[in-house]
Amino acid sequence: MSRRTTLFLALVCAVAVGNLYFPQAVVPLIAEGLHTSPEAASVAVTATQAGYTAGMFLLVPLGDRLPARPFLVTLLVLTGCGLLVAGCAPGLLVLGVAGACVGFTGVAAQIIGPLAAGLVPAGRRGAVIGTLLAGSIGGMLLARTFGGVLGERFGWRAPYLAAGVLVLLLAAVVGRAVPRTQAPSRGSYPALLGEVLRLTRTQPELRRSCLYQAAVFGGFSAVWTCVALLLTGPAYGLGAQAVGLLALVGAVTIFSTPFAGRMVDRHGPDRVSLVCVCAVVVSAAVLAAAAGGGVWGIAALVAGTLLLDVAMQSGTVANQARVYALRADARGRLNTAYMTCAYLGGSAGSWLGVRAYDRVGWGAVCALVALLAALALVRLLVGRGGRREPTAAEAAN
Protein backbone atom coordinates (compact mmCIF):
# COMPACT_ATOMS: atom_id res chain seq x y z
CA MET A 1 0.00 0.00 0.00
CA SER A 2 1.43 3.36 -1.05
CA ARG A 3 1.99 6.35 1.20
CA ARG A 4 -0.68 8.24 -0.74
CA THR A 5 -3.26 5.53 -0.09
CA THR A 6 -2.36 5.51 3.61
CA LEU A 7 -2.88 9.27 3.86
CA PHE A 8 -6.18 9.02 2.00
CA LEU A 9 -7.40 6.32 4.37
CA ALA A 10 -6.34 8.54 7.29
CA LEU A 11 -8.52 11.29 5.79
CA VAL A 12 -11.47 8.90 5.57
CA CYS A 13 -10.90 7.98 9.23
CA ALA A 14 -10.84 11.68 10.15
CA VAL A 15 -14.16 12.38 8.43
CA ALA A 16 -15.81 9.20 9.77
CA VAL A 17 -14.79 9.96 13.36
CA GLY A 18 -15.56 13.67 12.99
CA ASN A 19 -19.18 12.86 12.11
CA LEU A 20 -19.57 11.41 15.60
CA TYR A 21 -18.35 14.56 17.34
CA PHE A 22 -19.49 17.67 15.46
CA PRO A 23 -23.12 17.33 16.68
CA GLN A 24 -21.84 18.11 20.18
CA ALA A 25 -21.07 21.67 19.07
CA VAL A 26 -24.49 22.40 17.57
CA VAL A 27 -26.83 21.10 20.30
CA PRO A 28 -27.73 24.66 21.48
CA LEU A 29 -28.35 25.68 17.86
CA ILE A 30 -30.58 22.64 17.32
CA ALA A 31 -32.55 23.53 20.45
CA GLU A 32 -33.05 27.06 19.20
CA GLY A 33 -33.89 26.03 15.64
CA LEU A 34 -36.39 23.33 16.62
CA HIS A 35 -37.81 25.35 19.55
CA THR A 36 -36.99 22.80 22.21
CA SER A 37 -34.75 22.45 25.25
CA PRO A 38 -31.03 21.68 25.05
CA GLU A 39 -31.68 18.47 26.98
CA ALA A 40 -34.14 17.31 24.33
CA ALA A 41 -31.86 18.47 21.50
CA SER A 42 -29.03 16.36 22.88
CA VAL A 43 -30.73 13.39 21.20
CA ALA A 44 -28.58 14.36 18.22
CA VAL A 45 -25.52 13.32 20.24
CA THR A 46 -26.87 10.40 22.27
CA ALA A 47 -28.54 8.71 19.29
CA THR A 48 -25.34 8.96 17.25
CA GLN A 49 -23.26 7.51 20.07
CA ALA A 50 -25.73 4.69 20.68
CA GLY A 51 -25.76 3.88 16.98
CA TYR A 52 -21.96 3.81 16.89
CA THR A 53 -21.81 1.39 19.81
CA ALA A 54 -24.24 -0.93 18.05
CA GLY A 55 -22.36 -0.63 14.77
CA MET A 56 -19.10 -1.46 16.50
CA PHE A 57 -20.46 -4.80 17.65
CA LEU A 58 -22.76 -5.68 14.75
CA LEU A 59 -20.98 -4.33 11.67
CA VAL A 60 -17.23 -4.35 12.32
CA PRO A 61 -17.02 -8.20 12.40
CA LEU A 62 -18.41 -8.18 8.85
CA GLY A 63 -15.06 -6.72 7.78
CA ASP A 64 -13.80 -10.32 7.97
CA ARG A 65 -16.66 -11.61 5.81
CA LEU A 66 -17.12 -8.98 3.09
CA PRO A 67 -14.64 -7.51 0.57
CA ALA A 68 -13.43 -4.27 2.13
CA ARG A 69 -13.85 -1.84 -0.76
CA PRO A 70 -17.56 -2.36 -1.51
CA PHE A 71 -18.25 -2.65 2.23
CA LEU A 72 -16.61 0.71 2.90
CA VAL A 73 -18.41 2.36 -0.01
CA THR A 74 -21.74 1.06 1.25
CA LEU A 75 -21.10 2.29 4.78
CA LEU A 76 -20.03 5.74 3.57
CA VAL A 77 -23.04 6.09 1.25
CA LEU A 78 -25.41 5.17 4.08
CA THR A 79 -23.62 7.59 6.42
CA GLY A 80 -23.80 10.38 3.86
CA CYS A 81 -27.52 9.80 3.30
CA GLY A 82 -28.10 9.75 7.06
CA LEU A 83 -26.32 13.09 7.43
CA LEU A 84 -28.40 14.65 4.64
CA VAL A 85 -31.62 13.37 6.22
CA ALA A 86 -30.51 14.77 9.59
CA GLY A 87 -29.78 18.12 7.97
CA CYS A 88 -33.31 18.23 6.57
CA ALA A 89 -35.03 16.82 9.67
CA PRO A 90 -38.29 18.62 10.53
CA GLY A 91 -38.18 17.54 14.17
CA LEU A 92 -36.31 15.66 16.87
CA LEU A 93 -37.72 12.22 16.00
CA VAL A 94 -36.35 12.25 12.46
CA LEU A 95 -33.11 13.83 13.68
CA GLY A 96 -32.66 11.10 16.30
CA VAL A 97 -33.33 8.27 13.85
CA ALA A 98 -30.99 9.81 11.27
CA GLY A 99 -28.33 10.35 13.93
CA ALA A 100 -28.58 6.72 14.99
CA CYS A 101 -28.10 5.69 11.35
CA VAL A 102 -25.05 7.96 11.05
CA GLY A 103 -23.53 6.40 14.15
CA PHE A 104 -24.43 2.83 13.19
CA THR A 105 -22.85 3.07 9.73
CA GLY A 106 -20.07 5.44 10.83
CA VAL A 107 -17.66 2.65 11.78
CA ALA A 108 -15.51 3.08 8.68
CA ALA A 109 -12.40 3.83 10.76
CA GLN A 110 -12.79 0.48 12.53
CA ILE A 111 -12.96 -1.29 9.15
CA ILE A 112 -10.01 0.61 7.71
CA GLY A 113 -7.63 -0.33 10.55
CA PRO A 114 -7.79 -4.11 10.02
CA LEU A 115 -7.83 -3.58 6.24
CA ALA A 116 -4.66 -1.49 6.27
CA ALA A 117 -2.93 -3.93 8.63
CA GLY A 118 -3.36 -6.63 6.00
CA LEU A 119 -2.14 -4.47 3.10
CA VAL A 120 1.32 -3.68 4.48
CA PRO A 121 4.28 -5.82 5.60
CA ALA A 122 4.50 -6.56 9.31
CA GLY A 123 7.51 -4.25 9.57
CA ARG A 124 5.38 -1.24 8.51
CA ARG A 125 2.18 -2.11 10.36
CA GLY A 126 2.83 0.07 13.40
CA ALA A 127 3.63 3.15 11.33
CA VAL A 128 0.45 2.75 9.27
CA ILE A 129 -1.71 2.24 12.37
CA GLY A 130 -0.16 5.37 13.89
CA THR A 131 -0.96 7.42 10.78
CA LEU A 132 -4.57 6.22 10.70
CA LEU A 133 -4.98 6.98 14.39
CA ALA A 134 -3.55 10.46 13.83
CA GLY A 135 -6.26 10.99 11.21
CA SER A 136 -8.96 9.88 13.65
CA ILE A 137 -7.63 12.20 16.36
CA GLY A 138 -7.49 15.10 13.92
CA GLY A 139 -11.09 14.47 12.91
CA MET A 140 -12.21 14.33 16.52
CA LEU A 141 -10.45 17.59 17.41
CA LEU A 142 -11.48 19.55 14.33
CA ALA A 143 -15.06 18.31 14.16
CA ARG A 144 -16.32 20.49 17.01
CA THR A 145 -14.72 23.56 15.43
CA PHE A 146 -16.19 22.64 12.04
CA GLY A 147 -19.66 22.17 13.51
CA GLY A 148 -19.55 25.27 15.70
CA VAL A 149 -18.23 27.71 13.08
CA LEU A 150 -20.46 26.47 10.26
CA GLY A 151 -23.48 26.23 12.56
CA GLU A 152 -23.08 29.73 13.95
CA ARG A 153 -22.83 31.22 10.47
CA PHE A 154 -25.41 29.24 8.52
CA GLY A 155 -27.53 27.43 11.09
CA TRP A 156 -27.41 23.98 12.66
CA ARG A 157 -28.41 22.19 9.45
CA ALA A 158 -25.33 23.38 7.54
CA PRO A 159 -22.76 21.09 9.25
CA TYR A 160 -24.94 18.03 8.60
CA LEU A 161 -25.49 18.90 4.94
CA ALA A 162 -21.84 19.78 4.32
CA ALA A 163 -20.65 16.59 6.05
CA GLY A 164 -23.15 14.53 4.05
CA VAL A 165 -21.88 15.87 0.72
CA LEU A 166 -18.24 15.35 1.80
CA VAL A 167 -18.88 11.74 2.86
CA LEU A 168 -20.61 10.92 -0.43
CA LEU A 169 -17.68 12.39 -2.36
CA LEU A 170 -15.28 10.29 -0.31
CA ALA A 171 -17.37 7.19 -1.02
CA ALA A 172 -16.89 7.78 -4.75
CA VAL A 173 -13.12 8.10 -4.31
CA VAL A 174 -12.92 5.04 -2.04
CA GLY A 175 -14.53 3.02 -4.83
CA ARG A 176 -11.49 3.76 -6.98
CA ALA A 177 -8.60 4.36 -4.58
CA VAL A 178 -8.86 1.45 -2.12
CA PRO A 179 -7.19 -1.76 -3.34
CA ARG A 180 -9.34 -4.81 -4.00
CA THR A 181 -9.11 -7.45 -1.30
CA GLN A 182 -10.58 -10.87 -0.68
CA ALA A 183 -12.66 -11.53 2.40
CA PRO A 184 -10.47 -13.52 4.85
CA SER A 185 -13.36 -15.52 6.31
CA ARG A 186 -16.37 -17.41 4.93
CA GLY A 187 -18.09 -17.92 8.25
CA SER A 188 -21.76 -17.09 8.72
CA TYR A 189 -22.77 -13.83 10.34
CA PRO A 190 -23.95 -15.45 13.61
CA ALA A 191 -20.67 -17.36 13.75
CA LEU A 192 -18.70 -14.13 13.31
CA LEU A 193 -20.53 -12.49 16.19
CA GLY A 194 -20.10 -15.54 18.41
CA GLU A 195 -16.40 -15.73 17.67
CA VAL A 196 -15.82 -12.26 19.12
CA LEU A 197 -16.44 -13.74 22.57
CA ARG A 198 -14.56 -16.93 21.74
CA LEU A 199 -11.49 -15.01 20.65
CA THR A 200 -11.55 -13.08 23.90
CA ARG A 201 -11.51 -16.36 25.81
CA THR A 202 -8.88 -18.12 23.72
CA GLN A 203 -6.39 -15.35 22.83
CA PRO A 204 -4.30 -14.31 25.87
CA GLU A 205 -2.55 -11.55 23.90
CA LEU A 206 -5.94 -10.09 23.03
CA ARG A 207 -6.95 -10.14 26.69
CA ARG A 208 -3.67 -8.43 27.65
CA SER A 209 -4.22 -5.69 25.09
CA CYS A 210 -7.82 -5.24 26.24
CA LEU A 211 -6.70 -4.90 29.84
CA TYR A 212 -4.00 -2.36 29.02
CA GLN A 213 -6.33 -0.19 26.98
CA ALA A 214 -9.31 -0.50 29.32
CA ALA A 215 -7.16 0.56 32.28
CA VAL A 216 -5.40 3.46 30.55
CA PHE A 217 -8.51 4.66 28.73
CA GLY A 218 -10.41 4.41 32.01
CA GLY A 219 -7.91 6.78 33.64
CA PHE A 220 -7.99 9.06 30.60
CA SER A 221 -11.80 9.23 30.72
CA ALA A 222 -11.79 9.88 34.47
CA VAL A 223 -9.49 12.88 34.03
CA TRP A 224 -11.36 14.42 31.10
CA THR A 225 -14.73 13.87 32.74
CA CYS A 226 -13.63 15.61 35.94
CA VAL A 227 -11.38 18.33 34.53
CA ALA A 228 -14.42 20.48 33.73
CA LEU A 229 -15.50 20.18 37.36
CA LEU A 230 -12.04 21.25 38.49
CA LEU A 231 -11.71 24.22 36.15
CA THR A 232 -15.20 25.56 36.83
CA GLY A 233 -14.91 24.93 40.59
CA PRO A 234 -13.60 27.20 43.33
CA ALA A 235 -9.91 26.38 42.71
CA TYR A 236 -9.96 28.06 39.27
CA GLY A 237 -13.39 29.63 38.70
CA LEU A 238 -13.08 29.43 34.91
CA GLY A 239 -15.77 28.90 32.28
CA ALA A 240 -16.50 26.04 29.93
CA GLN A 241 -14.35 27.64 27.24
CA ALA A 242 -11.27 26.87 29.34
CA VAL A 243 -12.05 23.15 29.03
CA GLY A 244 -12.22 23.48 25.25
CA LEU A 245 -8.88 25.29 25.12
CA LEU A 246 -7.28 22.66 27.34
CA ALA A 247 -8.60 19.94 25.04
CA LEU A 248 -6.55 21.44 22.19
CA VAL A 249 -3.48 20.10 23.99
CA GLY A 250 -4.49 16.74 22.53
CA ALA A 251 -3.57 18.01 19.06
CA VAL A 252 0.02 17.01 19.82
CA THR A 253 -1.03 13.36 19.58
CA ILE A 254 -1.58 13.83 15.84
CA PHE A 255 2.21 13.92 15.56
CA SER A 256 3.05 11.49 18.36
CA THR A 257 1.07 8.48 17.12
CA PRO A 258 2.97 8.04 13.82
CA PHE A 259 6.21 8.19 15.81
CA ALA A 260 4.84 5.61 18.25
CA GLY A 261 3.98 3.39 15.30
CA ARG A 262 7.55 3.51 14.04
CA MET A 263 8.78 2.62 17.52
CA VAL A 264 6.41 -0.35 17.57
CA ASP A 265 7.85 -1.54 14.27
CA ARG A 266 11.38 -1.15 15.59
CA HIS A 267 11.10 -2.37 19.19
CA GLY A 268 7.85 -4.33 19.41
CA PRO A 269 4.48 -3.51 21.05
CA ASP A 270 5.41 -4.54 24.60
CA ARG A 271 8.27 -2.09 24.96
CA VAL A 272 6.14 0.78 23.69
CA SER A 273 3.30 -0.29 25.99
CA LEU A 274 5.69 -0.32 28.93
CA VAL A 275 6.84 3.24 28.25
CA CYS A 276 3.25 4.42 27.76
CA VAL A 277 1.92 2.87 30.97
CA CYS A 278 4.83 4.32 32.96
CA ALA A 279 4.09 7.71 31.40
CA VAL A 280 0.48 7.46 32.62
CA VAL A 281 1.74 6.89 36.18
CA VAL A 282 3.95 9.98 35.87
CA SER A 283 1.06 11.99 34.42
CA ALA A 284 -1.06 11.15 37.49
CA ALA A 285 1.62 12.64 39.74
CA VAL A 286 1.88 15.77 37.60
CA LEU A 287 -1.90 16.20 37.48
CA ALA A 288 -2.13 15.93 41.26
CA ALA A 289 -0.22 19.23 41.47
CA ALA A 290 -3.12 20.96 39.69
CA ALA A 291 -5.44 20.65 42.68
CA GLY A 292 -4.31 23.94 44.24
CA GLY A 293 -5.15 26.18 41.28
CA GLY A 294 -3.18 29.23 40.21
CA VAL A 295 -0.60 29.57 37.48
CA TRP A 296 1.39 26.55 38.61
CA GLY A 297 -1.80 24.53 38.77
CA ILE A 298 -2.65 25.41 35.17
CA ALA A 299 0.89 24.49 34.12
CA ALA A 300 0.57 21.12 35.86
CA LEU A 301 -2.81 20.56 34.24
CA VAL A 302 -1.49 21.31 30.75
CA ALA A 303 1.63 19.18 31.21
CA GLY A 304 -0.26 16.31 32.84
CA THR A 305 -3.06 16.12 30.27
CA LEU A 306 -0.53 16.37 27.44
CA LEU A 307 1.48 13.46 28.82
CA LEU A 308 -1.68 11.45 29.48
CA ASP A 309 -3.06 12.05 25.97
CA VAL A 310 0.20 11.11 24.26
CA ALA A 311 0.62 7.99 26.42
CA MET A 312 -2.94 6.81 25.89
CA GLN A 313 -2.98 7.27 22.12
CA SER A 314 0.54 5.87 21.64
CA GLY A 315 -0.43 2.88 23.74
CA THR A 316 -3.41 2.38 21.43
CA VAL A 317 -1.03 2.02 18.49
CA ALA A 318 0.98 -0.65 20.33
CA ASN A 319 -2.12 -2.54 21.42
CA GLN A 320 -3.69 -2.56 17.97
CA ALA A 321 -0.44 -3.72 16.39
CA ARG A 322 -0.33 -6.60 18.89
CA VAL A 323 -3.97 -7.50 18.25
CA TYR A 324 -3.82 -7.33 14.44
CA ALA A 325 -0.81 -9.66 14.44
CA LEU A 326 -2.73 -12.49 16.11
CA ARG A 327 -4.87 -13.79 13.23
CA ALA A 328 -4.90 -12.33 9.74
CA ASP A 329 -8.32 -13.90 9.00
CA ALA A 330 -10.03 -12.40 12.08
CA ARG A 331 -8.78 -8.84 12.40
CA GLY A 332 -12.28 -7.36 12.30
CA ARG A 333 -13.50 -9.61 15.10
CA LEU A 334 -10.34 -9.03 17.12
CA ASN A 335 -10.79 -5.28 16.72
CA THR A 336 -14.43 -5.55 17.83
CA ALA A 337 -13.42 -7.33 21.04
CA TYR A 338 -10.59 -4.88 21.68
CA MET A 339 -12.59 -1.71 21.08
CA THR A 340 -15.56 -2.97 23.10
CA CYS A 341 -13.31 -3.59 26.10
CA ALA A 342 -11.68 -0.18 25.64
CA TYR A 343 -15.03 1.62 25.65
CA LEU A 344 -16.23 -0.37 28.65
CA GLY A 345 -13.07 0.67 30.48
CA GLY A 346 -13.61 4.30 29.48
CA SER A 347 -17.20 4.24 30.69
CA ALA A 348 -16.19 2.69 34.00
CA GLY A 349 -13.40 5.25 34.41
CA SER A 350 -15.78 8.15 33.89
CA TRP A 351 -18.23 6.72 36.43
CA LEU A 352 -15.54 6.07 39.03
CA GLY A 353 -13.85 9.42 38.39
CA VAL A 354 -16.96 11.50 39.05
CA ARG A 355 -17.66 9.65 42.27
CA ALA A 356 -14.06 9.97 43.42
CA TYR A 357 -14.15 13.71 42.70
CA ASP A 358 -17.47 14.21 44.50
CA ARG A 359 -16.38 12.38 47.64
CA VAL A 360 -12.70 13.30 47.96
CA GLY A 361 -11.67 15.74 45.25
CA TRP A 362 -9.21 16.03 42.39
CA GLY A 363 -6.50 14.13 44.25
CA ALA A 364 -8.69 11.03 44.33
CA VAL A 365 -9.12 11.20 40.54
CA CYS A 366 -5.34 11.29 40.11
CA ALA A 367 -4.98 8.37 42.53
CA LEU A 368 -7.51 6.43 40.44
CA VAL A 369 -5.46 7.09 37.28
CA ALA A 370 -2.29 5.89 39.03
CA LEU A 371 -4.03 2.78 40.37
CA LEU A 372 -5.42 1.78 36.97
CA ALA A 373 -2.03 2.35 35.33
CA ALA A 374 -0.31 0.33 38.07
CA LEU A 375 -2.65 -2.60 37.41
CA ALA A 376 -1.78 -2.46 33.71
CA LEU A 377 1.92 -2.17 34.55
CA VAL A 378 1.87 -5.24 36.79
CA ARG A 379 0.05 -7.26 34.12
CA LEU A 380 2.47 -6.03 31.48
CA LEU A 381 5.54 -7.06 33.49
CA VAL A 382 4.00 -10.43 34.38
CA GLY A 383 2.98 -10.96 30.76
CA ARG A 384 6.50 -10.32 29.49
CA GLY A 385 7.95 -12.69 32.05
CA GLY A 386 11.48 -11.68 31.14
CA ARG A 387 11.11 -12.76 27.52
CA ARG A 388 12.24 -10.64 24.62
CA GLU A 389 9.39 -9.78 22.28
CA PRO A 390 10.32 -9.95 18.57
CA THR A 391 9.91 -6.81 16.54
CA ALA A 392 7.45 -6.72 13.67
CA ALA A 393 10.25 -7.03 11.14
CA GLU A 394 11.72 -10.05 12.94
CA ALA A 395 8.31 -11.68 13.20
CA ALA A 396 7.82 -11.24 9.45
CA ASN A 397 10.99 -13.19 8.81
Side-chain angles (χ1 to χ4, degrees):
M1 186 171 66
S2 68
R3 175 70 173 171
R4 180 179 298 178
T5 302
T6 301
L7 293 176
F8 172 70
L9 290 177
L11 173 63
V12 177
C13 288
V15 174
V17 171
N19 289 331
L20 306 174
Y21 287 92
F22 81 76
Q24 295 175 352
V26 295
V27 166
L29 299 176
I30 293 173
E32 181 181 352
L34 296 181
H35 309 291
T36 186
S37 67
E39 290 78 12
S42 65
V43 69
V45 175
T46 55
T48 303
Q49 292 175 340
Y52 184 72
T53 303
M56 183 93 67
F57 187 78
L58 296 174
L59 291 183
V60 173
L62 283 173
D64 293 333
R65 181 66 180 82
L66 302 175
R69 187 163 76 178
F71 188 30
L72 278 173
V73 171
T74 301
L75 289 176
L76 291 171
V77 168
L78 292 174
T79 300
C81 292
L83 288 164
L84 293 178
V85 171
C88 299
L92 288 179
L93 177 60
V94 175
L95 178 61
V97 172
C101 176
V102 170
F104 185 68
T105 59
V107 294
Q110 304 305 327
I111 304 297
I112 288 172
L115 165 67
L119 292 176
V120 296
R124 286 187 55 213
R125 190 171 294 147
V128 169
I129 293 172
T131 300
L132 296 179
L133 184 57
S136 296
I137 295 168
M140 178 179 65
L141 293 174
L142 295 176
R144 297 182 183 93
T145 302
F146 161 82
V149 171
L150 209 59
E152 286 286 350
R153 185 167 185 132
F154 299 107
W156 70 268
R157 299 179 187 274
Y160 281 99
L161 298 175
V165 172
L166 176 59
V167 170
L168 291 177
L169 290 174
L170 282 178
V173 180
V174 166
R176 294 178 174 272
V178 174
R180 291 182 179 272
T181 59
Q182 297 294 323
S185 173
R186 296 184 178 181
S188 66
Y189 180 59
L192 291 176
L193 293 182
E195 195 172 4
V196 172
L197 297 176
R198 191 183 69 80
L199 287 169
T200 306
R201 293 195 307 268
T202 59
Q203 294 286 345
E205 292 297 283
L206 173 61
R207 293 197 300 273
R208 281 211 302 141
S209 298
C210 289
L211 174 62
Y212 302 157
Q213 192 64 16
V216 172
F217 191 49
F220 174 88
S221 299
V223 167
W224 281 105
T225 301
C226 297
V227 74
L229 302 175
L230 177 67
L231 287 175
T232 57
Y236 291 93
L238 299 175
Q241 289 184 344
V243 182
L245 291 174
L246 182 63
L248 292 178
V249 168
V252 175
T253 57
I254 296 175
F255 307 100
S256 67
T257 51
F259 174 77
R262 292 192 293 271
M263 292 301 100
V264 169
D265 290 336
R266 186 176 303 173
H267 302 293
D270 274 9
R271 294 186 182 182
V272 175
S273 293
L274 179 61
V275 172
C276 292
V277 172
C278 290
V280 173
V281 175
V282 174
S283 74
V286 175
L287 286 168
V295 175
W296 289 108
I298 287 290
L301 203 56
V302 170
T305 53
L306 174 60
L307 184 58
L308 179 62
D309 285 13
V310 170
M312 192 279 291
Q313 299 291 4
S314 298
T316 299
V317 177
N319 288 326
Q320 287 187 320
R322 186 187 297 107
V323 167
Y324 291 156
L326 295 177
R327 276 182 54 183
D329 65 324
R331 289 190 176 113
R333 286 158 285 174
L334 290 165
N335 193 42
T336 296
Y338 169 76
M339 293 301 298
T340 300
C341 290
Y343 274 88
L344 288 174
S347 299
S350 296
W351 187 84
L352 291 170
V354 170
R355 277 142 190 83
Y357 187 89
D358 285 342
R359 295 186 180 183
V360 181
W362 179 251
V365 177
C366 298
L368 174 63
V369 175
L371 176 61
L372 291 172
L375 291 174
L377 181 59
V378 170
R379 181 63 183 90
L380 179 61
L381 295 175
V382 171
R384 293 183 71 187
R387 63 182 171 84
R388 177 184 177 274
E389 182 187 38
T391 65
E394 291 170 342
N397 295 326

